[in-house]
Amino acid sequence: MSRIDRLWQDMAFKEFGIVLFPGQIPSYMQMYAHVIYKYRHLYGLWQPDITHYGGLVQVKFEEGKIVAYEWRVPCDPNYLDPLRRKEIFSIGLSNDGQVRHLCLGGFRGPHKCQISVRSSSNFCSKCDVQESHTHPQSTDEEYREWLREETCNISRFFHPQNQSLSFFKFLLFKQYKCCYEYNRLSIPRPRPQAIIQPGIFKGTYGDHGLELVMLAYEEDGYTVKAKKITGDQNVPANKVTFRADLRYSLILNEQQQMDMDMLVAMRRSSSSVLPENLPAQPFLLPQNCMERGVYVPNQCKARFSGFGQIAGYGFTNSSYTPGHWIVFSEDLFGFLWLSLQSFSMYHRVKDPIY
């Protein structure tokens, strides 16, 4: 390796933490100037601006090129499983040193696309060969392939309600014609002595399946809220799914938790006990509560009064309804929707996305 090549290699590492290995790229200077530095604003986490649904995309440099990955939720209802990763585009150099933008989706292999960086917090991608995303056999086969990838389980979508939800999502995605806008997604900073640290979690949402939420704390230090990263036709992405007030903790025995009506009738009152000093307590789902057969612990470290957001189709008539935010561990919490008589479980995302 020449001294000039080593200079560009050192700059890539010092400024961006990128390691360039010998033989991996045709030109260190061109790679640094035309890929690494030019597209420096792409590195990190992004949310595609897709009506209702949103998403989670990570852009990173690896194996001699910039690669964008879509991180999808696990197969429903396995919320404890890792996220699923799929390549969506790459930016690299050809053997003759030309910059190549490749769309990695579709049915016909990598093909040309365009990447436009508008600012450090916004960019667009557009596929130049849209027919590559059309199934060679039929639209029905394209839908079935999309459904396998989206849900891992076609059989659960034989139910009319699930069929309607999934087909609407499929048609909406086709309307975008592989042209998407992305907005930067920021992770909240750690909070000392928090009952649970902020971050990204996978949650269960009934017929809508699993969704991603961002748990964060308000400036006052008392209010915690979860905002959707991926959403649905009722409560879409970027909307708050629930919030809770750490000043209103609850300590309940098993008898008090057996019936949903008893929980609804409980009066909301403030507590002088700090969240970090709350004692562990038993947790029991009410007999008339839907929880979809997922794993639920029988003990929690804290329980707080809160409000969950519900809405009609298209986010109409949205409102907040009473609920309980239950913290089981640093990586696990739940939300009890009192009026819906249902329970959602959430597990921290531990995949290498940060």
Side-chain angles (χ1 to χ4, degrees), residues 158-194:
F158 288 154
H159 187 282
Q161 173 70 7
N162 290 336
Q163 283 184 337
S164 175
L165 292 172
S166 63
F167 193 61
F168 176 88
K169 186 175 183 179
F170 170 72
L171 292 179
L172 187 141
F173 270 74
K174 282 186 69 69
Q175 290 177 8
Y176 280 84
K177 297 181 179 180
C178 304
C179 180
Y180 301 108
E181 182 176 347
Y182 303 81
N183 296 304
R184 184 171 293 282
L185 193 64
S186 299
I187 305 296
R189 294 179 179 179
R191 294 184 65 92
Q193 298 183 333

Side-chain angles (χ1 to χ4, degrees), residues 171-317:
L171 292 179
L172 187 141
F173 270 74
K174 282 186 69 69
Q175 290 177 8
Y176 280 84
K177 297 181 179 180
C178 304
C179 180
Y180 301 108
E181 182 176 347
Y182 303 81
N183 296 304
R184 184 171 293 282
L185 193 64
S186 299
I187 305 296
R189 294 179 179 179
R191 294 184 65 92
Q193 298 183 333
I195 189 70
I196 183 173
Q197 289 299 319
I200 300 177
F201 290 78
K202 304 156 286 183
T204 59
Y205 282 89
D207 289 336
H208 293 299
L210 304 184
E211 298 182 11
L212 296 173
V213 304
M214 180 77 77
L215 187 75
Y217 292 86
E218 296 284 4
E219 292 280 337
D220 59 19
Y222 296 110
T223 305
V224 63
K225 67 178 181 181
K227 181 183 289 187
K228 288 191 174 185
I229 297 174
T230 61
D232 52 64
Q233 296 99 321
N234 293 93
V235 179
N238 292 316
K239 299 298 182 182
V240 173
T241 180
F242 72 79
R243 52 185 171 84
D245 193 323
L246 302 186
R247 293 170 296 185
Y248 293 86
S249 61
L250 298 162
I251 300 177
L252 308 177
N253 58 41
E254 291 188 3
Q255 186 68 30
Q256 292 173 303
Q257 303 176 58
M258 294 185 65
D259 185 76
M260 186 70 79
D261 292 335
M262 293 177 61
L263 294 174
V264 172
M266 288 182 180
R267 296 184 62 183
R268 187 170 181 261
S269 59
S270 60
S271 171
S272 59
V273 182
L274 294 174
E276 58 269 25
N277 295 331
L278 289 170
Q281 57 182 294
F283 179 77
L284 180 70
L285 279 174
Q287 296 174 355
N288 48 347
C289 178
M290 297 179 292
E291 47 80 25
R292 305 185 63 235
V294 299
Y295 166 72
V296 180
N298 58 14
Q299 189 176 54
C300 64
K301 59 188 295 188
R303 185 174 190 143
F304 303 93
S305 177
F307 295 90
Q309 185 163 209
I310 59 175
Y313 187 88
F315 197 54
T316 56
N317 301 317

Side-chain angles (χ1 to χ4, degrees), residues 18-21 23-25 31 60-67 69 85 87 90-93:
I18 292 174
V19 178
L20 298 177
F21 295 101
Q24 194 178 57
I25 53 179
M31 174 60 74
K60 60 189 296 188
F61 189 95
E62 64 177 21
E63 298 182 358
K65 60 182 179 293
I66 292 175
V67 184
Y69 292 102
R85 191 177 76 164
E87 292 181 332
S90 69
I91 306 173
L93 293 180

